[in-house]
Amino acid sequence: MSLSMGACPHAWQHHLPHRGRMWAASPAFRRQLFLLRSLAPTCVDGGRVSSSSLRLHAMSAAPAAAGPVYEADAEAVVRRITPPLDRARHKGQAGKIAIIGGCREYTGAPYFAAISALKVGADLSHVFCTKDAATVIKSYSPELIVHPILEESYSVRDDERESVSSSILTEVIKWMERFDCIVVGPGLGRDSFLMDCVSNIMRHARQANIPTVVDGDGLFLITNNIGLVEDNSLAILTPNVYEYKRLVQKVLNCEVNEENASEQLTALCEKIGGVTIMRKGKADLISDGKKVTQVSTFGSPRRCGGQGDILSGSVAVFSSWAWHFLSSNEQPKENSVNPMVLGCIAGSLLLRKAAALAFEKNKRSTVTTDIIEFLGQSLEDICPAGR
């Protein structure tokens, strides 16, 4: 069902079934309408919002027992939160992102996340990794600022653990206040000492009100320590099908229910408290516990590893942009829009468009680096730099 508003802003409600009219009167629906009005005011013409600009498409295939899921007007979100290229701006104002991850075994993932953040439009991208990973990651690109400060168990004696952990946190804190968003997890590995150090970093980021995207091994970490993200409205979780299954089992103590996917996702967000979750899949489902939005734009049938890392870096940038955009355009508290949700919507769309372009060119040989190279063109197609 496509909804549009004419001279009578509530006339369309009469065409909804009884259950739909009840939901249309709810605070959640009013928040969704406010989101669209605030993000696309230029689409209003003569008091009428066109159906192309107000794309709240109810999923007709959803079972009756499931909660409503709406297709995001993702391109409008991207255009609205992407900052203009202004000659008056200085280095850093378009975003400073940090990736917490990278160990002996995994050096590609933190690189993919960090370079994607730059390709989307962040000014500076940092990687905090282990010493073994640092030289390798630096060799991938001179664009990244790499900090070889993390340690794994094999390199730390038992009697040194407390002091080493403290020195790592002290070093990260020196930088933390500069960042607009951090990404925890790409290439992190599952070493117990490293996990403990990163847990301390996450606690400090939370105290400093730094938005935090959790992906990959970071999700393994928080699944076993939900308190790290509990009641944190600046936390974004980006689980794939397996990571989502573990989260549901751990937090809700049940199995994934595809018949009521939106209701279960909402329940998961509510149970953890405050977080935004993007459940990756054929369509990315995004919720902060208040509503469920999806991005279903087709990307690529090629499922090469590393696309989740592109997504986490992109979401970090867009979330920081959305946060700054909404902070500078204050909205009534009761109608406030969640910038973390907007960041997920924008990041999801951009990855899908870049993946589609990469596949069109490379077909079966498409790899993650091919997709990264199309991030800039994909953003330019949606939001031209000269606008």
PDB file of all heavy atoms in Angstrom, residues 178-192:
ATOM      1  N   ARG A 178      38.237  12.872  19.867  1.00  0.00           N
ATOM      2  CA  ARG A 178      38.295  13.443  18.515  1.00  0.00           C
ATOM      3  C   ARG A 178      37.335  12.749  17.549  1.00  0.00           C
ATOM      4  O   ARG A 178      37.023  13.290  16.486  1.00  0.00           O
ATOM      5  CB  ARG A 178      39.710  13.314  17.946  1.00  0.00           C
ATOM      6  CG  ARG A 178      40.793  13.824  18.872  1.00  0.00           C
ATOM      7  CD  ARG A 178      42.155  13.684  18.220  1.00  0.00           C
ATOM      8  NE  ARG A 178      43.232  13.927  19.178  1.00  0.00           N
ATOM      9  CZ  ARG A 178      44.499  14.094  18.861  1.00  0.00           C
ATOM     10  NH1 ARG A 178      44.852  14.053  17.585  1.00  0.00           N
ATOM     11  NH2 ARG A 178      45.419  14.291  19.775  1.00  0.00           N
ATOM     12  N   PHE A 179      36.903  11.533  17.899  1.00  0.00           N
ATOM     13  CA  PHE A 179      36.156  10.727  16.940  1.00  0.00           C
ATOM     14  C   PHE A 179      34.670  11.037  16.940  1.00  0.00           C
ATOM     15  O   PHE A 179      34.068  11.299  17.980  1.00  0.00           O
ATOM     16  CB  PHE A 179      36.382   9.233  17.218  1.00  0.00           C
ATOM     17  CG  PHE A 179      37.822   8.812  17.126  1.00  0.00           C
ATOM     18  CD1 PHE A 179      38.393   7.994  18.089  1.00  0.00           C
ATOM     19  CD2 PHE A 179      38.613   9.247  16.069  1.00  0.00           C
ATOM     20  CE1 PHE A 179      39.716   7.613  18.006  1.00  0.00           C
ATOM     21  CE2 PHE A 179      39.946   8.878  15.975  1.00  0.00           C
ATOM     22  CZ  PHE A 179      40.500   8.055  16.948  1.00  0.00           C
ATOM     23  N   ASP A 180      34.093  10.970  15.746  1.00  0.00           N
ATOM     24  CA  ASP A 180      32.656  11.151  15.591  1.00  0.00           C
ATOM     25  C   ASP A 180      31.926   9.826  15.703  1.00  0.00           C
ATOM     26  O   ASP A 180      30.729   9.794  15.989  1.00  0.00           O
ATOM     27  CB  ASP A 180      32.349  11.783  14.236  1.00  0.00           C
ATOM     28  CG  ASP A 180      32.943  13.166  14.109  1.00  0.00           C
ATOM     29  OD1 ASP A 180      32.503  14.063  14.855  1.00  0.00           O
ATOM     30  OD2 ASP A 180      33.862  13.361  13.281  1.00  0.00           O
ATOM     31  N   CYS A 181      32.618   8.723  15.458  1.00  0.00           N
ATOM     32  CA  CYS A 181      32.029   7.391  15.578  1.00  0.00           C
ATOM     33  C   CYS A 181      33.154   6.371  15.591  1.00  0.00           C
ATOM     34  O   CYS A 181      34.200   6.587  14.963  1.00  0.00           O
ATOM     35  CB  CYS A 181      31.080   7.115  14.401  1.00  0.00           C
ATOM     36  SG  CYS A 181      30.111   5.583  14.543  1.00  0.00           S
ATOM     37  N   ILE A 182      32.956   5.267  16.307  1.00  0.00           N
ATOM     38  CA  ILE A 182      33.920   4.175  16.259  1.00  0.00           C
ATOM     39  C   ILE A 182      33.207   2.908  15.770  1.00  0.00           C
ATOM     40  O   ILE A 182      32.000   2.761  15.937  1.00  0.00           O
ATOM     41  CB  ILE A 182      34.601   3.911  17.620  1.00  0.00           C
ATOM     42  CG1 ILE A 182      33.597   3.381  18.659  1.00  0.00           C
ATOM     43  CG2 ILE A 182      35.299   5.162  18.130  1.00  0.00           C
ATOM     44  CD1 ILE A 182      34.256   2.880  19.947  1.00  0.00           C
ATOM     45  N   VAL A 183      33.988   2.034  15.147  1.00  0.00           N
ATOM     46  CA  VAL A 183      33.487   0.734  14.702  1.00  0.00           C
ATOM     47  C   VAL A 183      34.278  -0.333  15.441  1.00  0.00           C
ATOM     48  O   VAL A 183      35.510  -0.374  15.343  1.00  0.00           O
ATOM     49  CB  VAL A 183      33.655   0.557  13.177  1.00  0.00           C
ATOM     50  CG1 VAL A 183      33.100  -0.797  12.742  1.00  0.00           C
ATOM     51  CG2 VAL A 183      32.980   1.691  12.425  1.00  0.00           C
ATOM     52  N   VAL A 184      33.586  -1.185  16.159  1.00  0.00           N
ATOM     53  CA  VAL A 184      34.243  -2.217  16.960  1.00  0.00           C
ATOM     54  C   VAL A 184      33.997  -3.591  16.343  1.00  0.00           C
ATOM     55  O   VAL A 184      32.844  -3.977  16.140  1.00  0.00           O
ATOM     56  CB  VAL A 184      33.720  -2.212  18.414  1.00  0.00           C
ATOM     57  CG1 VAL A 184      34.328  -3.365  19.210  1.00  0.00           C
ATOM     58  CG2 VAL A 184      34.030  -0.881  19.085  1.00  0.00           C
ATOM     59  N   GLY A 185      35.079  -4.302  16.012  1.00  0.00           N
ATOM     60  CA  GLY A 185      34.902  -5.686  15.615  1.00  0.00           C
ATOM     61  C   GLY A 185      35.562  -6.166  14.350  1.00  0.00           C
ATOM     62  O   GLY A 185      35.951  -7.337  14.281  1.00  0.00           O
ATOM     63  N   PRO A 186      35.708  -5.364  13.281  1.00  0.00           N
ATOM     64  CA  PRO A 186      36.285  -5.902  12.053  1.00  0.00           C
ATOM     65  C   PRO A 186      37.697  -6.452  12.262  1.00  0.00           C
ATOM     66  O   PRO A 186      38.607  -5.728  12.645  1.00  0.00           O
ATOM     67  CB  PRO A 186      36.309  -4.681  11.112  1.00  0.00           C
ATOM     68  CG  PRO A 186      35.198  -3.809  11.608  1.00  0.00           C
ATOM     69  CD  PRO A 186      35.247  -3.963  13.102  1.00  0.00           C
ATOM     70  N   GLY A 187      37.862  -7.752  12.025  1.00  0.00           N
ATOM     71  CA  GLY A 187      39.175  -8.376  12.170  1.00  0.00           C
ATOM     72  C   GLY A 187      39.685  -8.441  13.586  1.00  0.00           C
ATOM     73  O   GLY A 187      40.881  -8.615  13.815  1.00  0.00           O
ATOM     74  N   LEU A 188      38.797  -8.331  14.563  1.00  0.00           N
ATOM     75  CA  LEU A 188      39.237  -8.272  15.960  1.00  0.00           C
ATOM     76  C   LEU A 188      39.781  -9.602  16.455  1.00  0.00           C
ATOM     77  O   LEU A 188      40.726  -9.634  17.257  1.00  0.00           O
ATOM     78  CB  LEU A 188      38.058  -7.836  16.840  1.00  0.00           C
ATOM     79  CG  LEU A 188      38.330  -7.618  18.324  1.00  0.00           C
ATOM     80  CD1 LEU A 188      39.349  -6.490  18.518  1.00  0.00           C
ATOM     81  CD2 LEU A 188      37.016  -7.272  19.055  1.00  0.00           C
ATOM     82  N   GLY A 189      39.196 -10.699  15.991  1.00  0.00           N
ATOM     83  CA  GLY A 189      39.581 -11.993  16.544  1.00  0.00           C
ATOM     84  C   GLY A 189      38.909 -12.218  17.888  1.00  0.00           C
ATOM     85  O   GLY A 189      38.140 -11.368  18.364  1.00  0.00           O
ATOM     86  N   ARG A 190      39.196 -13.346  18.501  1.00  0.00           N
ATOM     87  CA  ARG A 190      38.497 -13.700  19.744  1.00  0.00           C
ATOM     88  C   ARG A 190      39.451 -14.012  20.893  1.00  0.00           C
ATOM     89  O   ARG A 190      39.121 -14.747  21.822  1.00  0.00           O
ATOM     90  CB  ARG A 190      37.550 -14.872  19.488  1.00  0.00           C
ATOM     91  CG  ARG A 190      36.482 -14.522  18.464  1.00  0.00           C
ATOM     92  CD  ARG A 190      35.479 -15.630  18.255  1.00  0.00           C
ATOM     93  NE  ARG A 190      34.479 -15.233  17.259  1.00  0.00           N
ATOM     94  CZ  ARG A 190      33.460 -15.994  16.877  1.00  0.00           C
ATOM     95  NH1 ARG A 190      33.314 -17.208  17.416  1.00  0.00           N
ATOM     96  NH2 ARG A 190      32.604 -15.565  15.968  1.00  0.00           N
ATOM     97  N   ASP A 191      40.618 -13.444  20.840  1.00  0.00           N
ATOM     98  CA  ASP A 191      41.572 -13.619  21.941  1.00  0.00           C
ATOM     99  C   ASP A 191      40.997 -13.003  23.213  1.00  0.00           C
ATOM    100  O   ASP A 191      40.483 -11.883  23.206  1.00  0.00           O
ATOM    101  CB  ASP A 191      42.892 -12.943  21.582  1.00  0.00           C
ATOM    102  CG  ASP A 191      43.910 -13.041  22.697  1.00  0.00           C
ATOM    103  OD1 ASP A 191      44.553 -14.092  22.813  1.00  0.00           O
ATOM    104  OD2 ASP A 191      44.030 -12.057  23.450  1.00  0.00           O
ATOM    105  N   SER A 192      41.075 -13.714  24.309  1.00  0.00           N
ATOM    106  CA  SER A 192      40.424 -13.292  25.555  1.00  0.00           C
ATOM    107  C   SER A 192      40.971 -11.974  26.094  1.00  0.00           C
ATOM    108  O   SER A 192      40.212 -11.093  26.522  1.00  0.00           O
ATOM    109  CB  SER A 192      40.550 -14.386  26.619  1.00  0.00           C
ATOM    110  OG  SER A 192      41.921 -14.669  26.885  1.00  0.00           O
TER     111      SER A 192
END
